[in-house]
Amino acid sequence: MKDIDTLLKEVKRVHFIGIGGSGMCPLAEILHSWGYELSGSDNNESDTLDRIRKLGIPVTMGQKAENIKGAEMIVYTAALLKDNPELVAAKASGIPTFERSKLFGAISRMYKNCVGICGTHGKTTTTSMTTQIMITAKLDPSAVIGGKLPMMGSSGRVGKSENFVCEACEFVDTFLDLSPDVAVILNIDEDHLDYFKTLDNLIKSFHKFASMATKAVIYNGDDANTLKAMEGISGKDLITFGMAEENDYYPENIAPVHGAYYEFDAMHKGEFLCHIKLRVPGLHNVLNALAALAASMYSGADAESCREGLDAFSGAHRRFELLGKYKGITFVDDYAHHPAELKVTIDAAMEMGYNSVWAVFQPFTYSRTYMLMDDFAKVLSIPDHCVMTEIMGSREVNTYNVYTSQLAAKIPGSVWFNTFGEVADYVVKNAKDGDLVLTLGCGDIYKAAHMMIDKLK
């Protein structure tokens, strides 16, 4: 079979299985803007499907074998089960069929300045920040982000320039399908060990990603694992960011504006660039902002556009997203699902001056819960109250014999429930005026937040 790059030059009609996914929709929009004739299918109605339909792309609800009729190429989301009837039909049809990451990679090669942003934590926020700066700087980027950016109202954007900003995820090495001109490495932490097995293997994958960059690598000069991944990388611009002033980009005069929100002077090799006031909480976002600023300036943005873009950035969907205040109780939802992410998010929440902080956590995947159990217990002991749900297994089978009750036994005063309804009842009954309720996890825990809000309404 021909490779996808060759096929994209020859085919006109592409079918997407699972077109409504946040990672699929932006790729479909880009192909549509290039004049391809598209069709798609999905199982669930969503805002993204509304966007797709408004472009005139036909979408079939339900995944059936006959949906692939007339396609010259088929792209499917990795979220599909192997026995999905439409996927089975696609693979048996002889029509070239590719997983989403292969198309993502081919699209990345169509741009002269592909900025791939990777790291265990902060990818969505930093990709969103970079996109916002580049739009502000009139660099007109195309973008594929792992969450909705409020200024665009979507997780993707079709620009008319050679700039392409994309979130590069290390999960099962999919980021190695991309072809970055500029690689940004935010940090490297133990995660996805069900696939990578060891931290060393994970570091090797990030090393490969960095070596693929054709122009530059922008990386966290304070992070030991990232420095390890950068060993032996040469022949391109190597640019560091971090808290220490030995880095190329670093902050000076960091000060809390109110609680956990920070302002700082962005510096480059001893020179003042601009003063930034963040509207997203936590010190970790100072680093994310510096990475976004470095990537944007390398791509042609000026310091003033960086300041303007970052000052206006109010967060990405499900990244410390304020859901509202009801009967005096503030609700915030966040995607954090790894102990390191939980720590920075909960630490920021604890600094905000609420009477009590409620962490409502849905553990995600058996392997992560089992392998990082003690780390989870440590960070979930920080908030005033910890309420948990049973583990969301997602793509895994519970061969680890691990349950939330085992985690709860290690967290003093914590409680756990099987259903979101029970979680919502418990929190609404016990939370008080002046408290913050923070739902945490990358599954569907946000539904529990909406249940609580509905009860209070």
Side-chain angles (χ1 to χ4, degrees), residues 22 118 211 222 248 271 303 316 439:
S22 62
C118 70
S211 68
D222 296 344
D248 298 316
E271 275 183 43
T439 45

Side-chain angles (χ1 to χ4, degrees), residues 287-304:
L287 282 177
N288 291 338
L290 284 170
L293 180 143
S296 301
M297 290 192 80
Y298 192 84
S299 302
D302 57 285
E304 179 53 26

Side-chain angles (χ1 to χ4, degrees), residues 31-46:
L31 287 193
H32 177 264
S33 75
W34 291 346
Y36 287 85
E37 191 190 325
L38 304 185
S39 60
S41 67
D42 214 295
N43 283 327
N44 303 300
E45 286 293 348
S46 63

Side-chain angles (χ1 to χ4, degrees), residues 249-312:
Y249 290 87
Y250 59 93
E252 272 189 356
N253 305 316
I254 299 179
V257 186
H258 46 93
Y261 295 83
Y262 291 88
E263 59 181 311
F264 63 95
D265 294 332
M267 307 293 291
H268 179 242
K269 296 184 174 176
E271 275 183 43
F272 171 80
L273 292 173
C274 55
H275 182 76
I276 290 164
K277 276 187 182 169
L278 290 176
R279 288 172 61 196
V280 282
L283 263 177
H284 60 292
N285 275 317
V286 172
L287 282 177
N288 291 338
L290 284 170
L293 180 143
S296 301
M297 290 192 80
Y298 192 84
S299 302
D302 57 285
E304 179 53 26
S305 297
C306 292
R307 182 201 65 74
E308 212 180 301
L310 288 168
D311 280 6

Side-chain angles (χ1 to χ4, degrees), residues 164-227:
F164 183 44
V165 183
C166 60
E167 181 170 334
C169 184
E170 76 281 8
F171 174 64
V172 301
D173 274 333
T174 48
F175 67 162
L176 300 182
D177 285 323
L178 294 168
S179 297
D181 297 292
V182 180
V184 180
I185 305 180
L186 301 171
N187 44 60
I188 302 171
D189 208 343
E190 283 187 302
D191 201 11
H192 303 305
L193 294 183
D194 51 321
Y195 172 79
F196 288 106
K197 307 299 180 215
T198 67
L199 178 61
D200 275 347
N201 287 339
L202 180 64
I203 289 169
K204 276 178 196 153
S205 279
F206 277 94
H207 174 86
K208 269 186 211 159
F209 186 74
S211 68
M212 286 157 57
T214 58
K215 296 181 193 166
V217 185
I218 297 168
Y219 62 99
N220 186 337
D222 296 344
D223 184 60
N225 290 334
T226 301
L227 293 176

Side-chain angles (χ1 to χ4, degrees), residues 113 129-142 151 157 159-163 165 296-297 299-306 308-309:
N113 186 46
M129 286 174 163
T130 308
T131 304
Q132 184 136 345
I133 292 171
M134 285 204 194
I135 293 169
T136 306
K138 301 194 166 36
L139 294 172
D140 197 16
S142 294
M151 84 175 296
R157 179 180 198 274
K160 291 189 171 69
S161 74
E162 287 293 342
N163 296 309
V165 183
S296 301
M297 290 192 80
S299 302
D302 57 285
E304 179 53 26
S305 297
C306 292
E308 212 180 301

Side-chain angles (χ1 to χ4, degrees), residues 3-166:
D3 64 65
I4 191 165
D5 298 73
T6 307
L7 279 162
L8 276 173
K9 293 183 183 117
E10 298 172 358
V11 305
K12 286 200 168 50
R13 187 153 186 278
V14 184
H15 179 72
F16 282 73
I17 311 177
I19 197 166
S22 62
M24 293 280 274
C25 175
L27 302 184
E29 288 183 71
I30 290 169
L31 287 193
H32 177 264
S33 75
W34 291 346
Y36 287 85
E37 191 190 325
L38 304 185
S39 60
S41 67
D42 214 295
N43 283 327
N44 303 300
E45 286 293 348
S46 63
D47 297 350
T48 43
L49 284 191
D50 293 342
R51 278 177 73 86
I52 290 286
R53 288 193 184 106
K54 276 181 188 144
L55 293 172
I57 299 167
V59 178
T60 308
M61 291 315 287
Q63 285 162 349
K64 310 179 275 290
E66 58 263 30
N67 292 345
I68 65 169
K69 216 172 143 190
E72 296 173 291
M73 186 167 115
I74 298 166
V75 181
Y76 64 94
T77 170
L80 294 183
L81 295 170
K82 284 189 172 64
D83 61 355
N84 181 290
E86 200 168 324
L87 180 61
V88 171
K91 289 188 168 173
S93 67
I95 302 165
T97 299
F98 300 95
E99 198 266 305
R100 169 196 173 266
S101 65
K102 302 295 179 196
L103 174 63
F104 195 7
I107 287 174
S108 74
R109 290 185 279 283
M110 304 275 197
Y111 292 88
K112 289 197 177 116
N113 186 46
C114 170
V115 180
I117 298 172
C118 70
T120 310
H121 319 296
K123 291 184 287 290
T124 300
T125 297
T126 308
T127 309
S128 299
M129 286 174 163
T130 308
T131 304
Q132 184 136 345
I133 292 171
M134 285 204 194
I135 293 169
T136 306
K138 301 194 166 36
L139 294 172
D140 197 16
S142 294
V144 175
I145 309 171
K148 268 188 193 171
L149 175 57
M151 84 175 296
M152 307 186 312
S154 81
S155 59
R157 179 180 198 274
V158 180
K160 291 189 171 69
S161 74
E162 287 293 342
N163 296 309
F164 183 44
V165 183
C166 60

